[in-house]
Amino acid sequence: MENQNNVTEFVFIGLWGYKKIELLFLFLLCYLALLMGNFIISFTITCSHLMQQPMYYFLCHLSFMDVSYTSTVVPRLIRDLAAARRNISYNNCMTQLFAAHLLAGAEIFILVSMAFDRYVAIVKPLHYMVIMNRQRCDMLIVLAWVFSFWHSIALLLMVLKLPFCGPNQIDHYVCDVKPLLKLVCKDIHVVSILVIANSGMIAVAIFLVLVASYVAILYNLRTHSPPGRRKALSTCSSHVTVVLLFFVPCIYIYVLPAETENKDKEISVFYTVIAPMLNPLIYTLRNMEMKIAMRKVWSKVTHLDLK
């Protein structure tokens, strides 16, 4: 029997179900801070010598991905907090699902590239410039987009085949696969396992690889001088903080089956809003090289404006 899809639009229940002006202003301020912080990082890196260094090259791409990913979610969340009816068409919902997973997947693989960069810099310092040349850095960015595309297209095709017969209320503030599965009018046991394999297990595997890389880094830091060790630990600690903020909530959400009741929509705020907003602060507060470059770039900009 052919699957029937009688739903033409979905309605978001939202974070806490009701219109809250305080939340609207809070998320608006968070979004503006996110845009400003990531713009400053991207502008500083692209207008300075830092763009020639692999670590900052990847950081620039991460800032772009933070803005792009969050922009698929937060503007609609802000609009829905002020709207009387939080509806989204079926096609727009599928577009948001695809775009969010595409951009989040690319961000995950960029974080992997950044971890690989730090591993090579600390474990194989004499071969660093040969291994992490610009061609290989570009290849890692392309691979990030390719892998994330296949992940998101597989997820989208899986959801497009599912029948939605009603109700059409999504217990979330974004079109994501798990809240959508709860609206499917057929047994979702097999599909839920496929989603866990597609998203949850991949996130766990990548997280374990990242943990292993930093264990290897810490092991190799024993032979470094105290100043070199402090500098490496400062850089790596920033990256570890970002990885934890992004991966821990993702793993919690996507390794659990869709049938379980949990705090998915509240916890997802961490990787859709909080982590992208904090990334610029995390990468600049303890990074003296970045602070110096920011002062130089912005002093040039101010000098040009005065002219």
PDB file of all heavy atoms in Angstrom, residues 59-83:
ATOM      1  N   LEU A  59      39.583  28.004  11.391  1.00  0.00           N
ATOM      2  CA  LEU A  59      38.766  28.808  12.312  1.00  0.00           C
ATOM      3  C   LEU A  59      37.877  29.782  11.543  1.00  0.00           C
ATOM      4  O   LEU A  59      36.722  30.008  11.920  1.00  0.00           O
ATOM      5  CB  LEU A  59      39.674  29.569  13.285  1.00  0.00           C
ATOM      6  CG  LEU A  59      38.972  30.470  14.302  1.00  0.00           C
ATOM      7  CD1 LEU A  59      37.957  29.680  15.126  1.00  0.00           C
ATOM      8  CD2 LEU A  59      40.006  31.150  15.203  1.00  0.00           C
ATOM      9  N   CYS A  60      38.402  30.332  10.458  1.00  0.00           N
ATOM     10  CA  CYS A  60      37.608  31.231   9.616  1.00  0.00           C
ATOM     11  C   CYS A  60      36.417  30.486   9.009  1.00  0.00           C
ATOM     12  O   CYS A  60      35.287  31.000   8.986  1.00  0.00           O
ATOM     13  CB  CYS A  60      38.491  31.817   8.517  1.00  0.00           C
ATOM     14  SG  CYS A  60      37.688  33.104   7.533  1.00  0.00           S
ATOM     15  N   HIS A  61      36.660  29.273   8.535  1.00  0.00           N
ATOM     16  CA  HIS A  61      35.574  28.459   7.984  1.00  0.00           C
ATOM     17  C   HIS A  61      34.575  28.064   9.079  1.00  0.00           C
ATOM     18  O   HIS A  61      33.362  28.012   8.822  1.00  0.00           O
ATOM     19  CB  HIS A  61      36.137  27.197   7.318  1.00  0.00           C
ATOM     20  CG  HIS A  61      36.677  27.435   5.947  1.00  0.00           C
ATOM     21  ND1 HIS A  61      35.876  27.440   4.822  1.00  0.00           N
ATOM     22  CD2 HIS A  61      37.938  27.699   5.509  1.00  0.00           C
ATOM     23  CE1 HIS A  61      36.611  27.687   3.754  1.00  0.00           C
ATOM     24  NE2 HIS A  61      37.864  27.844   4.137  1.00  0.00           N
ATOM     25  N   LEU A  62      35.075  27.802  10.289  1.00  0.00           N
ATOM     26  CA  LEU A  62      34.185  27.455  11.398  1.00  0.00           C
ATOM     27  C   LEU A  62      33.267  28.626  11.744  1.00  0.00           C
ATOM     28  O   LEU A  62      32.073  28.428  12.004  1.00  0.00           O
ATOM     29  CB  LEU A  62      35.014  27.057  12.624  1.00  0.00           C
ATOM     30  CG  LEU A  62      34.210  26.618  13.855  1.00  0.00           C
ATOM     31  CD1 LEU A  62      33.509  25.284  13.596  1.00  0.00           C
ATOM     32  CD2 LEU A  62      35.111  26.523  15.087  1.00  0.00           C
ATOM     33  N   SER A  63      33.809  29.847  11.720  1.00  0.00           N
ATOM     34  CA  SER A  63      32.994  31.034  11.999  1.00  0.00           C
ATOM     35  C   SER A  63      31.905  31.205  10.950  1.00  0.00           C
ATOM     36  O   SER A  63      30.745  31.510  11.281  1.00  0.00           O
ATOM     37  CB  SER A  63      33.878  32.288  12.034  1.00  0.00           C
ATOM     38  OG  SER A  63      34.744  32.258  13.140  1.00  0.00           O
ATOM     39  N   PHE A  64      32.257  31.002   9.691  1.00  0.00           N
ATOM     40  CA  PHE A  64      31.259  31.080   8.614  1.00  0.00           C
ATOM     41  C   PHE A  64      30.181  30.016   8.812  1.00  0.00           C
ATOM     42  O   PHE A  64      28.984  30.278   8.622  1.00  0.00           O
ATOM     43  CB  PHE A  64      31.952  30.891   7.263  1.00  0.00           C
ATOM     44  CG  PHE A  64      30.993  30.737   6.109  1.00  0.00           C
ATOM     45  CD1 PHE A  64      30.282  31.820   5.607  1.00  0.00           C
ATOM     46  CD2 PHE A  64      30.778  29.483   5.527  1.00  0.00           C
ATOM     47  CE1 PHE A  64      29.389  31.669   4.556  1.00  0.00           C
ATOM     48  CE2 PHE A  64      29.883  29.321   4.487  1.00  0.00           C
ATOM     49  CZ  PHE A  64      29.192  30.420   3.990  1.00  0.00           C
ATOM     50  N   MET A  65      30.594  28.819   9.216  1.00  0.00           N
ATOM     51  CA  MET A  65      29.635  27.725   9.405  1.00  0.00           C
ATOM     52  C   MET A  65      28.730  27.989  10.599  1.00  0.00           C
ATOM     53  O   MET A  65      27.532  27.676  10.562  1.00  0.00           O
ATOM     54  CB  MET A  65      30.399  26.410   9.608  1.00  0.00           C
ATOM     55  CG  MET A  65      29.685  25.192   9.061  1.00  0.00           C
ATOM     56  SD  MET A  65      29.292  25.326   7.326  1.00  0.00           S
ATOM     57  CE  MET A  65      30.919  25.542   6.632  1.00  0.00           C
ATOM     58  N   ASP A  66      29.274  28.581  11.662  1.00  0.00           N
ATOM     59  CA  ASP A  66      28.464  28.925  12.829  1.00  0.00           C
ATOM     60  C   ASP A  66      27.331  29.876  12.446  1.00  0.00           C
ATOM     61  O   ASP A  66      26.176  29.686  12.830  1.00  0.00           O
ATOM     62  CB  ASP A  66      29.330  29.579  13.913  1.00  0.00           C
ATOM     63  CG  ASP A  66      30.068  28.558  14.764  1.00  0.00           C
ATOM     64  OD1 ASP A  66      29.617  27.401  14.820  1.00  0.00           O
ATOM     65  OD2 ASP A  66      31.093  28.915  15.366  1.00  0.00           O
ATOM     66  N   VAL A  67      27.684  30.918  11.683  1.00  0.00           N
ATOM     67  CA  VAL A  67      26.686  31.901  11.263  1.00  0.00           C
ATOM     68  C   VAL A  67      25.655  31.264  10.340  1.00  0.00           C
ATOM     69  O   VAL A  67      24.443  31.468  10.500  1.00  0.00           O
ATOM     70  CB  VAL A  67      27.367  33.098  10.560  1.00  0.00           C
ATOM     71  CG1 VAL A  67      26.322  34.021   9.931  1.00  0.00           C
ATOM     72  CG2 VAL A  67      28.229  33.873  11.545  1.00  0.00           C
ATOM     73  N   SER A  68      26.116  30.474   9.385  1.00  0.00           N
ATOM     74  CA  SER A  68      25.209  29.844   8.416  1.00  0.00           C
ATOM     75  C   SER A  68      24.261  28.866   9.097  1.00  0.00           C
ATOM     76  O   SER A  68      23.045  28.882   8.853  1.00  0.00           O
ATOM     77  CB  SER A  68      26.013  29.116   7.332  1.00  0.00           C
ATOM     78  OG  SER A  68      26.876  29.999   6.675  1.00  0.00           O
ATOM     79  N   TYR A  69      24.815  28.015   9.960  1.00  0.00           N
ATOM     80  CA  TYR A  69      23.994  27.005  10.636  1.00  0.00           C
ATOM     81  C   TYR A  69      22.944  27.660  11.535  1.00  0.00           C
ATOM     82  O   TYR A  69      21.755  27.325  11.481  1.00  0.00           O
ATOM     83  CB  TYR A  69      24.892  26.070  11.439  1.00  0.00           C
ATOM     84  CG  TYR A  69      24.132  25.116  12.332  1.00  0.00           C
ATOM     85  CD1 TYR A  69      23.191  24.233  11.800  1.00  0.00           C
ATOM     86  CD2 TYR A  69      24.343  25.106  13.716  1.00  0.00           C
ATOM     87  CE1 TYR A  69      22.485  23.363  12.617  1.00  0.00           C
ATOM     88  CE2 TYR A  69      23.647  24.232  14.527  1.00  0.00           C
ATOM     89  CZ  TYR A  69      22.719  23.370  13.978  1.00  0.00           C
ATOM     90  OH  TYR A  69      22.012  22.516  14.784  1.00  0.00           O
ATOM     91  N   THR A  70      23.385  28.605  12.352  1.00  0.00           N
ATOM     92  CA  THR A  70      22.461  29.256  13.277  1.00  0.00           C
ATOM     93  C   THR A  70      21.396  30.052  12.536  1.00  0.00           C
ATOM     94  O   THR A  70      20.256  30.159  13.005  1.00  0.00           O
ATOM     95  CB  THR A  70      23.238  30.177  14.238  1.00  0.00           C
ATOM     96  OG1 THR A  70      24.290  29.428  14.839  1.00  0.00           O
ATOM     97  CG2 THR A  70      22.335  30.721  15.329  1.00  0.00           C
ATOM     98  N   SER A  71      21.749  30.577  11.365  1.00  0.00           N
ATOM     99  CA  SER A  71      20.790  31.360  10.580  1.00  0.00           C
ATOM    100  C   SER A  71      19.686  30.502   9.972  1.00  0.00           C
ATOM    101  O   SER A  71      18.663  31.033   9.527  1.00  0.00           O
ATOM    102  CB  SER A  71      21.519  32.127   9.467  1.00  0.00           C
ATOM    103  OG  SER A  71      22.392  33.083  10.031  1.00  0.00           O
ATOM    104  N   THR A  72      19.867  29.200   9.950  1.00  0.00           N
ATOM    105  CA  THR A  72      18.781  28.316   9.490  1.00  0.00           C
ATOM    106  C   THR A  72      17.767  28.053  10.597  1.00  0.00           C
ATOM    107  O   THR A  72      16.676  27.537  10.326  1.00  0.00           O
ATOM    108  CB  THR A  72      19.330  26.951   9.004  1.00  0.00           C
ATOM    109  OG1 THR A  72      19.908  26.251  10.114  1.00  0.00           O
ATOM    110  CG2 THR A  72      20.361  27.132   7.910  1.00  0.00           C
ATOM    111  N   VAL A  73      18.124  28.408  11.833  1.00  0.00           N
ATOM    112  CA  VAL A  73      17.275  28.069  12.979  1.00  0.00           C
ATOM    113  C   VAL A  73      16.774  29.298  13.734  1.00  0.00           C
ATOM    114  O   VAL A  73      15.573  29.474  13.945  1.00  0.00           O
ATOM    115  CB  VAL A  73      18.048  27.145  13.959  1.00  0.00           C
ATOM    116  CG1 VAL A  73      17.209  26.853  15.200  1.00  0.00           C
ATOM    117  CG2 VAL A  73      18.461  25.856  13.277  1.00  0.00           C
ATOM    118  N   VAL A  74      17.697  30.175  14.153  1.00  0.00           N
ATOM    119  CA  VAL A  74      17.358  31.238  15.102  1.00  0.00           C
ATOM    120  C   VAL A  74      16.411  32.302  14.536  1.00  0.00           C
ATOM    121  O   VAL A  74      15.476  32.711  15.247  1.00  0.00           O
ATOM    122  CB  VAL A  74      18.640  31.881  15.671  1.00  0.00           C
ATOM    123  CG1 VAL A  74      18.304  33.037  16.606  1.00  0.00           C
ATOM    124  CG2 VAL A  74      19.456  30.838  16.416  1.00  0.00           C
ATOM    125  N   PRO A  75      16.584  32.797  13.304  1.00  0.00           N
ATOM    126  CA  PRO A  75      15.624  33.796  12.804  1.00  0.00           C
ATOM    127  C   PRO A  75      14.171  33.311  12.849  1.00  0.00           C
ATOM    128  O   PRO A  75      13.269  34.069  13.233  1.00  0.00           O
ATOM    129  CB  PRO A  75      16.092  34.037  11.367  1.00  0.00           C
ATOM    130  CG  PRO A  75      17.547  33.746  11.398  1.00  0.00           C
ATOM    131  CD  PRO A  75      17.688  32.600  12.346  1.00  0.00           C
ATOM    132  N   ARG A  76      13.941  32.054  12.468  1.00  0.00           N
ATOM    133  CA  ARG A  76      12.571  31.530  12.546  1.00  0.00           C
ATOM    134  C   ARG A  76      12.129  31.373  13.999  1.00  0.00           C
ATOM    135  O   ARG A  76      10.963  31.611  14.322  1.00  0.00           O
ATOM    136  CB  ARG A  76      12.469  30.190  11.811  1.00  0.00           C
ATOM    137  CG  ARG A  76      11.097  29.529  11.923  1.00  0.00           C
ATOM    138  CD  ARG A  76      10.920  28.397  10.978  1.00  0.00           C
ATOM    139  NE  ARG A  76      10.627  28.848   9.632  1.00  0.00           N
ATOM    140  CZ  ARG A  76       9.403  29.190   9.202  1.00  0.00           C
ATOM    141  NH1 ARG A  76       8.371  29.153  10.032  1.00  0.00           N
ATOM    142  NH2 ARG A  76       9.224  29.581   7.975  1.00  0.00           N
ATOM    143  N   LEU A  77      13.031  30.974  14.875  1.00  0.00           N
ATOM    144  CA  LEU A  77      12.700  30.861  16.293  1.00  0.00           C
ATOM    145  C   LEU A  77      12.279  32.221  16.848  1.00  0.00           C
ATOM    146  O   LEU A  77      11.276  32.322  17.578  1.00  0.00           O
ATOM    147  CB  LEU A  77      13.907  30.327  17.067  1.00  0.00           C
ATOM    148  CG  LEU A  77      13.843  30.358  18.598  1.00  0.00           C
ATOM    149  CD1 LEU A  77      12.674  29.537  19.115  1.00  0.00           C
ATOM    150  CD2 LEU A  77      15.151  29.868  19.203  1.00  0.00           C
ATOM    151  N   ILE A  78      13.008  33.282  16.500  1.00  0.00           N
ATOM    152  CA  ILE A  78      12.661  34.635  16.950  1.00  0.00           C
ATOM    153  C   ILE A  78      11.306  35.058  16.387  1.00  0.00           C
ATOM    154  O   ILE A  78      10.456  35.607  17.095  1.00  0.00           O
ATOM    155  CB  ILE A  78      13.765  35.637  16.528  1.00  0.00           C
ATOM    156  CG1 ILE A  78      15.062  35.325  17.274  1.00  0.00           C
ATOM    157  CG2 ILE A  78      13.325  37.076  16.786  1.00  0.00           C
ATOM    158  CD1 ILE A  78      16.273  36.066  16.761  1.00  0.00           C
ATOM    159  N   ARG A  79      11.093  34.763  15.112  1.00  0.00           N
ATOM    160  CA  ARG A  79       9.818  35.104  14.475  1.00  0.00           C
ATOM    161  C   ARG A  79       8.660  34.363  15.135  1.00  0.00           C
ATOM    162  O   ARG A  79       7.595  34.927  15.402  1.00  0.00           O
ATOM    163  CB  ARG A  79       9.904  34.768  12.994  1.00  0.00           C
ATOM    164  CG  ARG A  79       8.584  34.892  12.233  1.00  0.00           C
ATOM    165  CD  ARG A  79       8.148  33.508  11.801  1.00  0.00           C
ATOM    166  NE  ARG A  79       6.981  33.537  10.927  1.00  0.00           N
ATOM    167  CZ  ARG A  79       6.177  32.520  10.769  1.00  0.00           C
ATOM    168  NH1 ARG A  79       6.393  31.388  11.432  1.00  0.00           N
ATOM    169  NH2 ARG A  79       5.142  32.589   9.965  1.00  0.00           N
ATOM    170  N   ASP A  80       8.869  33.074  15.459  1.00  0.00           N
ATOM    171  CA  ASP A  80       7.809  32.274  16.068  1.00  0.00           C
ATOM    172  C   ASP A  80       7.481  32.716  17.486  1.00  0.00           C
ATOM    173  O   ASP A  80       6.349  32.566  17.948  1.00  0.00           O
ATOM    174  CB  ASP A  80       8.201  30.795  16.058  1.00  0.00           C
ATOM    175  CG  ASP A  80       8.134  30.182  14.666  1.00  0.00           C
ATOM    176  OD1 ASP A  80       7.489  30.783  13.794  1.00  0.00           O
ATOM    177  OD2 ASP A  80       8.729  29.109  14.459  1.00  0.00           O
ATOM    178  N   LEU A  81       8.492  33.252  18.204  1.00  0.00           N
ATOM    179  CA  LEU A  81       8.243  33.734  19.557  1.00  0.00           C
ATOM    180  C   LEU A  81       7.313  34.952  19.563  1.00  0.00           C
ATOM    181  O   LEU A  81       6.624  35.219  20.553  1.00  0.00           O
ATOM    182  CB  LEU A  81       9.566  34.089  20.245  1.00  0.00           C
ATOM    183  CG  LEU A  81      10.411  32.910  20.724  1.00  0.00           C
ATOM    184  CD1 LEU A  81      11.803  33.369  21.111  1.00  0.00           C
ATOM    185  CD2 LEU A  81       9.745  32.196  21.887  1.00  0.00           C
ATOM    186  N   ALA A  82       7.298  35.682  18.446  1.00  0.00           N
ATOM    187  CA  ALA A  82       6.441  36.866  18.343  1.00  0.00           C
ATOM    188  C   ALA A  82       5.137  36.590  17.601  1.00  0.00           C
ATOM    189  O   ALA A  82       4.209  37.394  17.652  1.00  0.00           O
ATOM    190  CB  ALA A  82       7.195  37.992  17.634  1.00  0.00           C
ATOM    191  N   ALA A  83       5.067  35.439  16.908  1.00  0.00           N
ATOM    192  CA  ALA A  83       3.902  35.153  16.056  1.00  0.00           C
ATOM    193  C   ALA A  83       2.789  34.473  16.847  1.00  0.00           C
ATOM    194  O   ALA A  83       3.031  33.786  17.839  1.00  0.00           O
ATOM    195  CB  ALA A  83       4.320  34.262  14.893  1.00  0.00           C
TER     196      ALA A  83
END
